[in-house]
Amino acid sequence: MRTLKAVLDRSLTAQAIVIFVLGVGVYALIRRDTSPVLWVVQSALITAMAVGAIAVQRRRAGRAAGTDARGIAELNRKIRHRDVPRDPRERAAMGRLVAEQLGRMERGGRWLPYWLGCMGLIAVGLLVLGITTGSLVYPLVFAVGTVAFCCWVMWMRRRAMELHRHMRAALEGQG
């Protein structure tokens, strides 16, 4: 499992393969009545957009930290494990990466209540539609899934912010 995680952390190609396979599987489950060629085409489009977004994010993080994709993956692993590097160059790169990621999370936090509110409104709207049409199972499942997803997003954001703040304090304390 660690090897798979490391490969997915470092390889954009491996991430693209996983996204593509999952996309084809989801389209096959959702759109059984359409052609498998359409599943593949739609999954390829989604994969291309996702890989493009990931590549832009990696390039931005690499420029901010002054390292390549492998270096970013290694620095992120060290952040997750609260491992402060000893090498001054690696410490400087980690400090820049932590500052960039923490700033991005703090800036994104301004919009988080609006996104969560929008998701809540969509879930409530689907519940109301389900009640009026008499089909409550799918809207209820979607609403529970939406609430679970929002809780997971909040938990992951809080955990990531705590990790980055800890790492920033550790880097400033030892530097």
Side-chain angles (χ1 to χ4, degrees), residues 28-106:
L29 287 173
I30 293 174
R31 300 182 177 221
R32 294 181 195 164
D33 56 338
T34 60
S35 168
V37 173
L38 190 59
W39 303 342
V40 171
V41 169
Q42 288 176 334
S43 183
L45 286 173
I46 295 295
T47 302
M49 288 188 299
V51 166
I54 291 169
V56 167
Q57 181 183 13
R58 279 186 173 191
R59 189 174 307 126
R60 183 185 319 148
R63 259 188 267 137
T67 185
D68 61 345
R70 257 180 220 273
I72 296 291
E74 184 62 26
L75 290 174
N76 280 326
R77 186 194 63 75
K78 287 184 178 190
I79 290 170
R80 283 191 308 268
H81 294 284
R82 298 175 184 248
D83 184 19
V84 180
R86 302 274 183 233
D87 180 32
R89 284 186 25 213
E90 192 176 10
R91 286 174 58 82
M94 182 176 279
R96 290 188 301 266
L97 180 66
V98 165
E100 193 267 334
Q101 288 180 346
L102 194 56
R104 192 166 9 117
M105 282 187 280
E106 287 170 349

Side-chain angles (χ1 to χ4, degrees), residues 1-173:
M1 189 64 169
R2 289 182 187 191
T3 314
L4 176 64
K5 192 173 181 181
V7 168
L8 287 174
D9 234 6
R10 292 183 176 95
S11 172
L12 192 59
T13 305
Q15 291 175 3
I17 290 170
V18 169
I19 292 169
F20 180 76
V21 169
L22 287 174
V24 170
V26 167
Y27 280 122
L29 287 173
I30 293 174
R31 300 182 177 221
R32 294 181 195 164
D33 56 338
T34 60
S35 168
V37 173
L38 190 59
W39 303 342
V40 171
V41 169
Q42 288 176 334
S43 183
L45 286 173
I46 295 295
T47 302
M49 288 188 299
V51 166
I54 291 169
V56 167
Q57 181 183 13
R58 279 186 173 191
R59 189 174 307 126
R60 183 185 319 148
R63 259 188 267 137
T67 185
D68 61 345
R70 257 180 220 273
I72 296 291
E74 184 62 26
L75 290 174
N76 280 326
R77 186 194 63 75
K78 287 184 178 190
I79 290 170
R80 283 191 308 268
H81 294 284
R82 298 175 184 248
D83 184 19
V84 180
R86 302 274 183 233
D87 180 32
R89 284 186 25 213
E90 192 176 10
R91 286 174 58 82
M94 182 176 279
R96 290 188 301 266
L97 180 66
V98 165
E100 193 267 334
Q101 288 180 346
L102 194 56
R104 192 166 9 117
M105 282 187 280
E106 287 170 349
R107 284 188 307 273
R110 289 180 286 182
W111 291 98
L112 189 62
Y114 300 110
W115 284 109
L116 293 175
C118 180
M119 291 178 76
L121 284 175
I122 291 170
V124 168
L126 283 175
L127 278 175
V128 168
L129 280 173
I131 290 170
T132 58
T133 61
S135 172
L136 194 58
V137 175
Y138 290 124
L140 190 59
V141 167
F142 181 79
V144 168
T146 301
V147 168
F149 178 72
C150 289
C151 290
W152 177 76
V153 165
M154 295 296 293
W155 176 73
M156 287 298 293
R157 182 178 186 280
R158 186 178 68 236
R159 180 175 173 264
M161 299 262 307
E162 192 272 331
L163 282 171
H164 282 77
R165 286 182 180 139
H166 174 270
M167 189 55 67
R168 180 178 61 188
L171 289 170
E172 289 171 355

